[in-house]
Amino acid sequence: MESVDLSTGLVWVCTFLLSLLCLRTWVGRRRRPDKFPPSPPGLPFLGNLLSLSPREPHLQLTAWRRRYGDVFSLRMGPQDVVVVNGCAAVREALVMKGAHISDRPALFITDAFDCREEGVTLGKYGKKWKYLRRFGLSALRHFGVGKEKMQPIIRRECRVLVSCFKDQEGRPFEVSRFIQTAVCNVIASIVLGRRFEPDDPNFKEEIERVDRTFQLFLDAQPLNFYPALRHVPGFRGMLKEWEKIYHKSHQWFGKFVADHKETFDPTNIRDLIDMCLLEIEQKSGREMSVTEVTIPHITKELFDAGTETTATTLGWALLYLALNPDWQRKVQDELDAIVGSDEIPAYSRREELPYTEATILESLRIRTTVPLALPHSTSSPTSLQGYDIPAHTQVWVNLWSVHMDPAYWPHPDTFDPGRFLDGSGRVKVPEAFMPFSTGRRICLGEQLAKMELFLFLTSLLQQFTFKLPEGAPEPDLSGVMGATLLPGPYKIQAISRKK
Ligand code: HEM
C-alpha cells in the first residue's frame, strides 16, 4: 500500500513539474512577436537544447545559417536565443543597433558571483559597466599598451620564450604551456606587477583554473537555461567545480590585493591593483568608483581574458606556419631583409613587414579565437534584418560565420595570408574581419593582443623554423571548443636558424 502511495506521489510531483515546464515554455512562446526570427524544429520543452552540438556549436550554427538565414532563433528550453551570422547582420546588430544589443544576459553560472555588477566582461550594459570599461582601458594605456613603453615587458617574455624553445634542441615538444606562461606573464606584469616562473606551483594551478573556466563556460551552458539541472549528477559536478575554481581564484587574487594594500604608495603606481587602490582613495564616496569588491573581479577577468585568447591565437599561428612552409619562409625572408635577426622589431615597424602582418591576420581569421564572441543580450526591444526582437533576449554573435563566409573569403579553409594583401603588397583589412568583435563590447585588450602577437611571432620566426615531426599524423585542425577554440594538443619542432 505504501509503495502505491509513493509512486502515486511521484507521478503527481512529476505531473506538477511537467505542467510548470509546459506553462513556462508556453508563456515564453507567447511573448514572441509575430516577426520573430525563424528557428530549426525542436523538441517539446527542450526546444533546440539537445540538437545544438556541444563540441562544435559554431559549425552547427553556421550550417543552420545556410538554411534559416543570417538571423535565426533557437529555443533553449524556456528561453529564446537569437543567433546573428554574417558580416552585414553582425554589423547591424553590434554597431547600428549597438544601443540595444550591448547588454550581457543574466547567466545562472556567473550571476551567483556578482559578475554582472562588478566586472567588465559580463557586466550589465549601463553606467557602471561604462565606468569600469573606461577605467580598464585607461589602466592599459597608463602601462603603455599600444606604445613603446609596453614593449620592454613583452620583449623580456619573448626572450624567455625563445630560450625555452632553444632548450628543446630541435626535439618535438608541446608548445602550448610555454606560450601560455609567456603571454600570461605579460598580463601579470600589468595587473599584478610581477611575473612567474613556469614551475611555480600556485601559478600553474591558476593557469589550470583559467583553462577549466573557459571550458566550463561552454560545457555548463545548459544550466543557464535550466538551473534545475544543478540537481542532475553531471551538472551538479560541473557547478561544484565552477564554484570551487571561482573561490580558489578569488583567494589567489585576494592575497595579491592584501599584499598591495600593505605596500601601497600613491606616488608610485606599480600595476592595476595599485590603480584600483588609488581610485578608491581618490573617488571614495562618489557615485561611481572602484570598490574593494571590484578589485579581484577586474584583476581576474583581465588576467583570464588576456592569457587564454592571445596564447590560443599564437598556438594556431605556429601550427599553420608549420603546415605551410612556403608562407613561413616568406615571413622569415621578410624579417631577415628588413630587420635582421639580432633585434626584435619595434611594433611601430609592422607596416614595413606586410607578410608578417598578413600572417597574423590570417591566423586570427582561419581559427577565430572566440568563435561565438561572448553572449550579448537586448536591453530594449529592437529589430534586426526585418525581424522584431524583444528586450532581454539573449543574442549569440557567430563570428566564425563571418570569417568562414566564402562571399568574402574564397576557399575559407585554406590558410592564405595573401588575401590580406592588396595589388601593391600593402596590408588591407576587409570589413568582414572582426576577431575582436565590433561595436560597444569590442575586445578591451585588442591593442595589447595585437602587440603581443606581433612581437612573439617575429621573435620566434627570427630564431626558428617550425616543422611537424617526421611521420607525425596530420594534426586535427577542427580545434577544441570552449569559450575559445583551442588547437588540439600537437607537437612541433623548433629548428634553430643560426648555423
Ligand atoms: C588574440 C587575442 C584576443 C582575442 C581574439 C579577443 C577577442 C575578444 C572577443 C571576441 C570578445 C567579445 C566581444 C563581444 O562580446 O562582442 C572579447 C571581449 C573582451 N576581451 Fe578580448 N580578445 C583577445 C585578447 C584580450 C586581451 C589581451 C585582453 C586583456 C587585456 C582582453 C580583454 C577582454 C575584455 C575585458 C572583454 C570584454 C569587453 C566588454 O564586455 O566590454 N582580450 N575579446
Side-chain angles (χ1 to χ4, degrees), residues 104 120-121 129 133 140 187 302 305-306 309-310 313 364 369-370 373-374 376 399 435-437 441-445 448-449 453:
R104 297 280 187 223
V120 180
T121 316
W129 165 79
R133 189 176 158 104
L140 290 182
I187 193 75
L302 290 190
T309 46
T310 314
T313 312
L364 282 161
T369 317
V370 196
L374 289 168
H376 283 237
L399 298 177
F436 299 97
S437 187
R441 287 278 184 171
I442 192 168
C443 173
L444 185 119
L448 176 61
L453 291 173

Side-chain angles (χ1 to χ4, degrees), residues 194-211:
R194 58 162 294 177
R195 64 184 304 280
F196 298 89
E197 290 307 322
D199 47 7
D200 176 329
N202 294 326
F203 174 66
K204 264 165 66 179
E205 272 181 26
E206 184 54 29
I207 293 263
E208 272 158 28
R209 285 195 286 268
V210 176
D211 283 352

Side-chain angles (χ1 to χ4, degrees), residues 13 48 50 59 64 89 197 223 263 267 280 294 388 406 417 423 491:
V13 170
N48 307 103
L50 298 183
L59 300 187
W64 273 333
E197 290 307 322
L223 278 165
T263 52
T267 61
I280 293 177
T294 327
D388 290 335
K491 285 196 173 165

